[in-house]
Amino acid sequence: MFHFSNIVRTKGDPKILAGGPSLKRPEDRLARALGWFSVGLGVVEFFAPRRVTETLGMEGHETLVRAFGVREILAGIMSLSVEKNAGLWARVGGDGLDAAALLSGLTADNPKKGNIALALLMVGGIAMLDYRAAQDTKPRRPPRDARRKLYPNRSGFPKGIESARTAAKQIAAHATAGRT
Amino acid sequence: MKALVWHGKEDIRCDTVTDPEIQDPRDAIIKVTSCAICGSDLHLFHNYIPGMLPGDIMGHETMGEVVEVGSGVDGKLKKGDRIVVPFTIICGECDQCKRGNFSVCETTNRKSHLAEKAFGHTTAGLFGYTHLTGGYPGGQAEYLRVPFADATHIKVPAGIPDEQLLFLSDIFPTGWQAAVQCDIEPTDTVAIWGCGPVGQMAIRSAILLGANQVIAIDCLPERLSMAEAGGATTINFESESVLERLEELTDGRGPEKCIDCVGMESHVMASLPDTLLDRAKQMVMVESDRPHVLREMIYVCRPGGIISVPGVYSGFSDMLPMGAFMNKGLTMRTGQTHVNRWTDDLLRRIEEGEIDPSFVITHTVPLSQGPEMYQVFRDKRDSCVKVVLKP
């Protein structure tokens, strides 16, 4: 990647010779992959709902599929953002909704119930990945009740605050005197 | 040399890169002795400000020793000089520089066509701060090329530790300018949102400029304790109502002067629905900034008061209460810092022991640990307020 970035560098500016370790962990990469998958699936559901319902033998549910598409896109964008953990949990919730919707179509008279079973299997697998990624990308901010270091002695005024205030007052008094 | 290099959202690496070279007679190269991570570097870390490219070197708070000078530096710098590098690159010759408006220098942004498209006019070149401001390599590195070095420097004396001088590069003059812009009167209450490094400097500056009362607003105990140590009355917005407390502390009048040291990434809280909406809109890229603090300041500021905005905003902010702003006759002053306008005075104050900006440093680590420290600083782990890196 950096070989490309070196090409666009202004002549004379430092170029990368050897890359250091990335801050990205495998779980961050998984979150990113799931985010793009979510966006892709959402686009398909939104723009080609009939293809989806036909494949699943669930004709007449195009509006629902389209709504699920919007949900997938939003969850995908969230998973790709700084707030990826929230996005991944949104995906876990979405997987539940997907499974419920698929189960409702798993009836004896559905000629495509084999496809539904396959889709359920996929949703189960993806849900496991989503859950794993959501667990592993928990924000590392300390909890609100965590013990924190306090800095009550760091005034920044070597001569003390009162001395700073007094000096300021003297300057203000001089300025006022100068104006009158 | 080693340098902290931006590779994408939340991906900064300590890479080996080629050493900088003199490109122009007015250049100088410095060996960096200390540099720091700034709160505004986090906007780049999160990729909220457009114009970063993989391979860009981070950092705009840097100081060091001059090791090479170009032929056009004209005797203003020589090898061995110890300098702090202001984050705004200035020519010292254009109309804006002559007026002291250094952060809008008309010469130094080498990609001014991008800034003109984004902002209408160009602004100064900045170190390590996107290609909108020139795409100059930053100072979180072992060496730094300083363009227009004959003007872009603050010479500092030997005998004062780096830690006391380093912040002349940005956060100290930024906090100072924020307070100066408020035209503080001895009877004024100055309310400051955000107790990060710039907020801490703004608190001290408001005290030094004679404010009657300084109120600091944040939610992190370590930052509030530091603010209190600097002479501020504090409000923890997670446990108290900012509006009610400010009314109480100002006998219902509201603070005369308000300073926004938060900027585009204000805290998101379920109890503040506008912050949730901003975050959602920012995520889908229909709003670039989260201006909750601006909204709150306009609402609470005393009519006729002044709002000063050193916090960084990158593009577009929604739902600003312009009705309140107009009807209350408020004044807003903002801008990147005209660093060199203030540094002679601030250096004197440091030399005379009036202030020691090193109070804000909580972590000092080698440059190679910089990438991890971006995460620690962002997550407010280990009570982190300010990180200094040693190449």
Side-chain angles (χ1 to χ4, degrees), chain B residues 86-123:
Chain B
F87 77 97
T88 45
I89 302 168
I90 60 171
C91 72
E93 293 165 347
C94 69
D95 184 48
Q96 293 285 16
C97 281
K98 282 181 183 156
R99 290 166 190 263
N101 296 332
F102 297 113
S103 76
V104 286
C105 169
E106 294 164 327
T107 312
T108 54
N109 187 344
R110 62 183 177 175
K111 296 183 179 171
S112 56
H113 60 287
L114 296 177
E116 279 160 11
K117 281 209 172 70
F119 306 135
H121 295 89
T122 188
T123 55

Side-chain angles (χ1 to χ4, degrees), chain B residues 253-258 297 300-306 328-330:
Chain B
R253 291 191 312 268
E256 287 85 3
K257 310 290 159 66
C258 298
M297 290 200 307
V300 300
C301 189
R302 188 177 186 190
I306 295 176
K328 289 168 81 174
L330 303 178

Side-chain angles (χ1 to χ4, degrees), chain B residues 125-367:
Chain B
L126 307 180
F127 289 99
Y129 215 76
T130 84
H131 288 259
L132 285 177
T133 54
Y136 288 101
Q140 287 168 6
E142 288 176 319
Y143 292 89
L144 174 69
R145 176 178 78 94
V146 182
F148 299 89
D150 52 328
T152 308
H153 70 265
I154 303 150
K155 247 190 224 177
V156 289
I160 304 176
D162 277 13
E163 285 70 15
Q164 286 189 35
L165 300 168
L166 174 61
F167 303 132
L168 286 170
S169 59
D170 180 355
I171 58 168
F172 188 19
T174 296
W176 183 260
Q177 178 173 300
V180 170
Q181 284 180 158
C182 286
D183 295 341
I184 293 171
E185 300 279 340
T187 53
D188 280 348
T189 291
V190 181
I192 298 171
W193 276 255
C195 298
V198 169
Q200 299 292 344
M201 295 299 165
I203 291 165
R204 275 71 180 176
S205 300
I207 298 275
L208 287 171
L209 289 166
N212 179 45
Q213 179 177 221
V214 178
I215 301 170
I217 302 155
D218 204 296
C219 65
L220 296 166
E222 64 272 23
R223 293 182 183 210
L224 289 169
S225 72
M226 198 183 265
E228 218 168 284
T233 304
T234 58
I235 299 176
N236 183 335
F237 66 79
E238 278 190 344
S239 55
E240 309 167 89
S241 158
V242 174
L243 305 189
E244 282 170 19
R245 280 281 285 144
L246 282 175
E247 289 286 292
E248 200 181 293
L249 288 164
T250 58
D251 296 326
R253 291 191 312 268
E256 287 85 3
K257 310 290 159 66
C258 298
I259 302 179
D260 173 1
C261 296
V262 176
M264 61 186 285
E265 288 192 66
S266 66
H267 198 77
V268 179
M269 268 169 71
S271 57
L272 301 169
D274 65 315
T275 63
L276 288 173
L277 188 59
D278 284 333
R279 185 68 196 94
K281 290 201 287 189
Q282 195 180 41
M283 213 177 279
V284 293
M285 290 181 267
V286 294
E287 185 184 20
S288 53
D289 306 327
R290 306 201 297 260
H292 171 75
V293 169
L294 284 179
R295 293 185 195 117
E296 200 160 73
M297 290 200 307
I298 291 170
Y299 193 74
V300 300
C301 189
R302 188 177 186 190
I306 295 176
I307 287 174
S308 173
V309 187
V312 172
Y313 287 88
S314 74
F316 298 93
S317 296
D318 293 346
M319 296 190 299
L320 288 179
M322 291 308 292
F325 184 72
M326 183 268 163
N327 283 289
K328 289 168 81 174
L330 303 178
T331 300
M332 186 184 287
R333 292 179 180 152
T334 181
Q336 296 282 8
T337 310
H338 308 301
V339 178
N340 291 63
R341 194 195 283 183
W342 315 111
T343 44
D344 287 351
D345 181 26
L346 297 181
L347 177 58
R348 177 192 59 78
R349 288 173 189 266
I350 293 169
E351 286 179 308
E352 289 176 3
E354 208 174 292
I355 185 160
D356 173 3
S358 67
F359 75 89
V360 79
I361 302 170
T362 53
H363 293 69
T364 303
V365 299
L367 182 71

